[in-house]
Amino acid sequence: MDSFGIYLHIPYCKSKCRYCDFYSAPGARGVPQAYVDALLRELNKRDRRPDTLYFGGGTPALLSPGQVQALVEAAAPLPGAEITLEANPDTVTPETLRGFRAAGITRISFGAQSADDAQLRRLGRTHTAAAAAQALGWAREAGFPEICGDIMLALPHYSREEFDATLALLQQGGCTHISAYLLKIEPGTAFARHPPEGLPDADEAAGFYLYAVQRLAGAGYRQYEISNFARPGHEGRHNLLYWNCRDYAGIGPAAHSCLRGTRRFWPDDVQGFIDGTAAEQTEGVCDAEDFLLMQLRLAKGLDLDEYARWGGRFTGAQMAFLHQCAAHGYAVLEPGRVRLTPAGMIVQNSILEELI
């Protein structure tokens, strides 16, 4: 049977980070039981058991361990399933982490972002570097087999020293997986309305990215996707479903699905989701273009035979362009495969414009 994943969107947050454009709602008092009941209602409509289950947000750690346990039981993941829960360092305690682990969570993912407290305040994060280190320690004590951490790159007044300190924080915290991604100023965010001073330019940001790739490799974290690095055997199985265009079902406002080649989404409407008046909508089909876009995110690249099975092929002009990319160090052409180098991943959008 093909792999299948379920994503549960938990939109509640204590506060909105200045760079965040994800759909969210105020959640200082936790996640309302009415919202959990709505997730349970939708899970109970499904009979396909997932290989992966992902609690994303928002801030899923605002759920209580009892709420998490009820949702895991309703999803009925297969034996050996990867079950991930995202958390902010200041939303967990030793007790809640032990409760999440007992509820079945196998993979905890912390949004650490930086080891510089002034930077964290600038981003609108509500934790400190010390709180991140403490949360990682509590997660180790709770017995999570997979501990993940996020690093944001090319932040205002950024430096290699800030990256090194953040990597050390996560490495010493026992992280098996690290996501490292460039800050992007998204429309509608606080940073878009009031851009921060000291942002690196495009060339400087690219330099920070390439430095991160090098340093992460040296620390034993192998790059397997544009922004994702893991110790061998600890790659995130759920997100690989997305990038390999496998089936996944998203549940909750703003969540997306791709099932049997059809992409669907829930509207951005928490109350409508709770009431049952907001219906999942069809977005389109998953085709060769989607497969190309997703596969070139991966370090392994695009298998040309599999691309052909999706109905895709490169013209002579496109192959000539790819040879130019290879000559300039942006891509590697192997028999039956095309993959981007880290330098190529930085300009992936420009490369895709020529290929789609």
Side-chain angles (χ1 to χ4, degrees):
M1 180 183 293
D2 288 340
S3 295
F4 168 62
I6 292 178
Y7 172 87
L8 299 179
H9 189 59
I10 312 299
Y12 297 92
C13 285
K14 284 186 175 181
S15 62
K16 189 83 167 177
C17 297
R18 296 190 176 102
Y19 56 85
C20 180
D21 70 331
F22 291 166
Y23 180 66
S24 63
R29 294 184 177 86
V31 179
Q33 185 59 39
Y35 185 81
V36 175
D37 290 342
L39 291 174
L40 292 170
R41 177 192 70 218
E42 296 302 322
L43 282 170
N44 289 330
K45 294 177 182 178
R46 302 176 182 274
D47 55 10
R48 188 175 178 185
R49 299 180 66 187
D51 303 271
T52 66
L53 177 62
Y54 196 103
F55 291 81
T59 310
L62 292 174
L63 290 162
S64 71
Q67 289 173 324
V68 170
Q69 182 172 348
L71 290 165
V72 171
E73 290 175 353
L78 292 167
E82 175 193 88
I83 307 177
T84 304
L85 184 136
E86 294 179 346
N88 288 343
D90 61 336
T91 57
V92 297
T93 65
E95 293 74 26
T96 59
L97 286 168
R98 287 195 296 268
F100 294 148
R101 182 71 187 101
I105 300 300
T106 64
R107 189 170 180 268
I108 190 86
S109 182
F110 289 105
Q113 315 306 5
S114 175
D116 183 280
D117 286 349
Q119 190 76 269
L120 292 169
R121 289 192 295 271
R122 191 180 293 123
L123 294 172
R125 304 294 292 177
T126 54
H127 70 275
T128 62
Q134 184 177 58
L136 289 165
W138 290 340
R140 292 197 308 275
E141 292 169 2
F144 287 95
E146 304 286 347
I147 301 175
C148 314
D150 292 353
I151 301 178
M152 294 188 74
L153 309 172
L155 298 169
H157 307 291
Y158 204 65
S159 68
R160 291 185 174 189
E161 290 74 20
E162 182 177 342
F163 173 83
D164 288 343
T166 311
L167 173 57
L169 171 71
L170 298 183
Q171 192 174 11
Q172 292 164 12
C175 285
T176 55
H177 184 287
I178 293 176
S179 297
Y181 51 95
L182 294 164
L183 171 66
K184 184 178 180 184
I185 306 299
E186 299 285 1
T189 62
F191 272 0
R193 293 188 293 271
H194 304 287
E197 296 179 355
L199 283 174
D201 63 26
D203 288 341
E204 290 170 330
F208 286 128
Y209 175 81
L210 294 174
Y211 179 75
V213 172
Q214 176 190 13
R215 290 285 289 116
L216 284 159
Y221 298 93
R222 183 180 63 187
Q223 184 177 29
Y224 69 100
E225 191 265 350
I226 286 179
S227 301
N228 285 277
F229 307 77
R231 298 199 182 282
H234 295 274
E235 296 80 5
R237 287 159 49 192
H238 183 83
N239 284 344
L240 281 168
L241 293 178
Y242 302 158
W243 301 321
N244 285 316
C245 291
R246 301 293 188 256
D247 279 3
Y248 62 91
I251 304 175
H256 288 249
S257 303
C258 186
L259 293 168
R260 299 174 183 85
T262 299
R263 290 184 282 111
R264 301 173 66 84
F265 71 96
W266 290 88
D268 298 353
D269 183 354
V270 166
Q271 195 57 49
F273 178 74
I274 291 173
D275 296 340
T277 56
E280 197 177 15
Q281 300 176 24
T282 300
E283 189 173 19
V285 298
C286 189
D287 57 18
E289 286 188 4
D290 295 292
F291 185 72
L292 170 65
L293 186 152
M294 291 296 177
Q295 291 288 283
L296 286 184
R297 295 181 63 94
L298 295 171
K300 71 179 179 67
L302 175 71
D303 182 304
L304 296 181
D305 288 339
E306 194 169 0
Y307 184 43
R309 287 193 287 274
W310 278 80
R313 70 176 187 88
F314 293 131
T315 65
Q318 287 172 327
M319 285 304 303
F321 169 73
L322 286 171
H323 280 285
Q324 285 185 338
C325 289
H328 288 89
Y330 295 121
V332 175
L333 302 185
E334 300 168 337
R337 184 174 297 276
V338 177
R339 58 184 177 87
L340 300 184
T341 64
M345 289 177 175
I346 295 171
V347 294
Q348 187 209 32
N349 287 343
S350 297
I351 292 173
L352 287 170
E353 286 177 5
E354 297 292 330
L355 299 178
I356 292 179

